[in-house]
Amino acid sequence: MNESLDEGTGTRREPRQSGVAWLLASPFFRLLAINWLIGAFVAVLVLGGLLWFDTGRLRSLMLASEQPWLPALVLLFGLMITLCSAAMGAAIMALPADDGRSGGSGRPRRSRPLAPALAAVPARPRS
């Protein structure tokens, strides 16, 4: 077994991973990669739906051009940027907070329930 002891504490330490192995072992990277794939899949589905239903005569316009793959590629790129970042951002925002104040949902708990309060607003004279 490839284990080593930490000289200061005498405890076992794991061998350091580097490069791609470290990246694949990182749970945060895996979370982002999985959600990127989800966003990419949805982008391909949206592009397929736009072309299948010929929304706004988009498919007709693409097929009438000299290089129909170019507008499809540009549209796919824009959809992937939008939908992949939305999926990854939603996954990050859904992570629980570690500050000890959360109830597991990622949002801090309120100390007391919210209640409406009256506010006095002075009336301006009409001109």
Side-chain angles (χ1 to χ4, degrees):
M1 201 158 193
N2 190 5
E3 295 176 354
S4 60
L5 294 177
D6 191 5
E7 296 167 3
T9 61
T11 59
R12 286 187 306 175
R13 66 178 171 187
E14 299 287 324
R16 282 197 91 167
Q17 297 175 340
S18 63
V20 176
W22 174 82
L23 212 52
L24 294 176
S26 168
F28 185 68
F29 176 76
R30 282 196 315 262
L31 173 81
L32 291 179
I34 289 169
N35 283 283
W36 183 88
L37 288 172
I38 291 170
F41 179 71
V42 171
V44 169
L45 284 179
V46 168
L47 179 62
L50 286 172
L51 296 179
W52 179 269
F53 293 113
D54 200 14
T55 306
R57 293 182 32 96
L58 185 64
R59 182 183 63 208
S60 304
L61 287 170
M62 282 184 181
L63 293 176
S65 72
E66 291 180 13
Q67 298 172 337
W69 58 270
L70 187 60
L73 186 68
V74 170
L75 184 58
L76 179 64
F77 182 72
L79 285 170
M80 283 187 67
I81 286 178
T82 303
L83 297 175
C84 290
S85 62
M88 291 166 68
I92 290 172
M93 288 186 281
L95 288 174
D98 263 345
D99 59 0
R101 295 181 299 161
S102 69
S105 66
R107 296 182 180 160
R109 279 194 236 158
R110 300 194 186 279
S111 58
R112 58 188 171 96
L114 296 176
L118 296 176
V121 178
R124 291 184 292 165
R126 294 184 182 174
S127 49

